[in-house]
Amino acid sequence: MEWLLCRRLPSLLRRQQQRLALQPPAGRSYSSPPFNVPKSGADVARSVGVCSMMRLPVQDSSQGLDAAFVGVPLDTGTSNRPGARFGPRHIRAESCLVRAYNGATKAAPFESLMVADIGDVNVSLYDLKQSCKMIREAFQKITSTGCIPLTLGGDHTITYPILQALTEKHGPVGLVHIDAHADTSDIVLGSKICHGTPFRRCVDEGLLDCKRVVQIGLRGSTYEPDGYIWGREQGFRTVTGRECWLRSLAPLMVEVRQQMGDGPVYISFDIDGLDPAFAPGTGTPEIAGLHPSQALEIIQGCRGMRIIGCDLVEVAPLYDTSGNTALTAANLLFEMLCVLPNVKYY
């Protein structure tokens, strides 16, 4: 009997190894989908679970991801009402209402991309320059894995260090910038870094391909008779809020796609680009802004561009107790996810 067992032992060991090799990874089954999928409100109550973006899995890094939601809870660059540091938290909370498929465009991002929430970038609330350094280093790590970041702000200062990181990999980028303000000031209150200066700093450092920059929704009172002349002198296309009144922006986006061409493109959406009737929860609201339907036309019109990153900034939830500003932001971030390269459409 002992002789027979010794003869059969190698065969038994090989079969055990084969069985182990066929077992799925820990925490998954053979029926598990190949991509992360948000929990459905039809299966799990929306009030249940960890508060992540769209109730996606949370992981510590972007390793293995095609795209990641990441928060940057910083608002020490603001010039009027603070509170955008709480934007990421409230956007995540309201995102529980966003479902996995885009009913209008038939996009199915969770059938084509591996997506997760990778938490927040740590910042210093006492040193804005140090915060920019911390943000830049965090996004260098994200881009090094090949992951596309979708950022929850935070005030608009954060776009500057994010683009510093992304352009190290992609070179100068095109920019689709939706905002009430151009954010091209040189110095504000003695500082060169704040939420009114990010795109001036980006031009100074050669981060933008200026012929491939469009700013949409600019409006409000200005410090000079023509508050947008500097951008136009650099080659920016500026589309004022007045030019957007009572019209579809789909034809505009046909032109913007031609302007952006095949080069890398970054989308930066300041929630104050929307009229404060729809998004009052922000620090520097301006009347007569874009409607949410126009915001959808802009983002959906970016489909086909080589998008390498996106952000949604300046949500200050303290000024909108309804939560609708954060809810709108969550939906716009989902729309950005839907227009990333390689997303499946039905």
Side-chain angles (χ1 to χ4, degrees):
M1 187 68 179
E2 184 177 341
W3 172 83
L4 180 61
L5 181 61
C6 291
R7 289 280 306 270
R8 296 191 61 188
L9 185 59
S11 176
L12 292 171
L13 288 173
R14 281 197 301 272
R15 290 177 187 177
Q16 177 65 11
Q17 288 173 338
Q18 289 170 351
R19 283 195 294 269
L20 290 172
L22 290 171
Q23 288 180 357
R28 298 181 67 85
S29 68
Y30 288 113
S31 60
S32 297
F35 301 104
N36 292 336
V37 179
K39 290 184 174 67
S40 170
D43 300 322
V44 181
R46 292 191 172 96
S47 56
V48 172
V50 174
C51 186
S52 66
M53 188 65 185
M54 295 185 65
R55 302 201 293 174
L56 285 163
V58 177
Q59 61 183 64
D60 293 332
S61 78
S62 58
Q63 193 68 44
L65 299 178
D66 300 304
F69 292 104
V70 54
V72 183
L74 179 74
D75 65 1
T76 52
T78 55
S79 58
N80 192 42
R81 304 189 302 198
R85 71 180 66 178
F86 303 112
R89 185 173 299 175
H90 284 254
I91 293 170
R92 286 184 172 107
E94 296 295 338
S95 75
C96 69
L97 192 59
V98 184
R99 302 165 186 88
Y101 294 92
N102 191 314
T105 67
K106 310 306 179 189
F110 302 107
E111 290 189 15
S112 37
L113 302 178
M114 180 61 80
V115 188
D117 187 327
I118 59 171
D120 293 335
V121 174
N122 191 22
V123 294
S124 169
L125 299 178
Y126 305 111
D127 188 333
L128 190 55
K129 289 184 178 179
Q130 175 63 18
S131 288
C132 286
K133 179 177 182 290
M134 296 165 77
I135 295 165
R136 182 177 66 251
E137 291 174 350
F139 278 80
Q140 286 170 337
K141 293 179 181 178
I142 294 170
T143 56
S144 71
T145 65
C147 177
I148 298 176
L150 298 108
T151 305
L152 292 64
D155 74 56
H156 222 151
T157 309
I158 70 173
T159 305
Y160 166 48
I162 291 172
L163 286 177
Q164 285 181 315
L166 267 60
T167 54
E168 289 180 5
K169 179 175 182 177
H170 299 283
V173 300
L175 176 70
V176 178
H177 173 207
I178 304 93
D179 203 325
H181 313 98
D183 293 349
T184 54
S185 297
D186 187 19
I187 298 176
V188 178
L189 299 176
S191 178
K192 281 184 160 295
I193 299 177
C194 70
H195 76 161
T197 66
F199 301 113
R200 184 70 161 249
R201 300 286 80 82
C202 287
V203 171
D204 289 347
E205 296 183 18
L207 309 182
L208 297 178
D209 181 354
C210 292
K211 298 298 183 184
R212 296 195 303 117
V213 173
V214 62
Q215 297 181 304
I216 304 171
L218 305 179
R219 65 187 189 279
S221 53
T222 56
Y223 293 110
E224 299 90 20
D226 186 347
Y228 316 124
I229 188 171
W230 185 88
R232 289 197 297 272
E233 288 175 346
Q234 311 312 306
F236 294 6
R237 178 177 183 179
T238 58
V239 181
T240 66
R242 189 182 185 91
E243 294 175 76
C244 299
W245 289 353
L246 305 176
R247 57 171 287 199
S248 167
L249 299 185
L252 168 66
M253 293 311 297
V254 173
E255 299 173 2
V256 171
R257 285 195 297 274
Q258 294 173 345
Q259 178 188 0
M260 295 299 144
D262 298 327
V265 176
Y266 188 84
I267 302 173
S268 186
F269 199 120
D270 187 324
I271 201 68
D272 72 25
L274 297 181
D275 191 277
F278 303 107
T282 192
T284 49
E286 303 284 358
I287 66 167
L290 301 174
H291 287 217
S293 57
Q294 293 174 307
L296 294 181
E297 288 182 315
I298 293 169
I299 297 174
Q300 291 171 6
C302 293
R303 180 183 174 186
M305 297 181 190
R306 185 157 73 88
I307 299 166
I308 50 93
C310 316
D311 65 49
L312 191 297
V313 298
E314 298 287 356
V315 172
L318 300 177
Y319 311 109
D320 181 8
T321 55
S322 73
N324 285 342
T325 304
L327 174 64
T328 300
N331 277 274
L332 295 179
L333 282 158
F334 172 66
E335 293 287 341
M336 294 178 193
L337 175 66
C338 289
V339 297
L340 294 186
N342 302 318
V343 166
K344 175 182 176 180
Y345 282 77
Y346 278 97

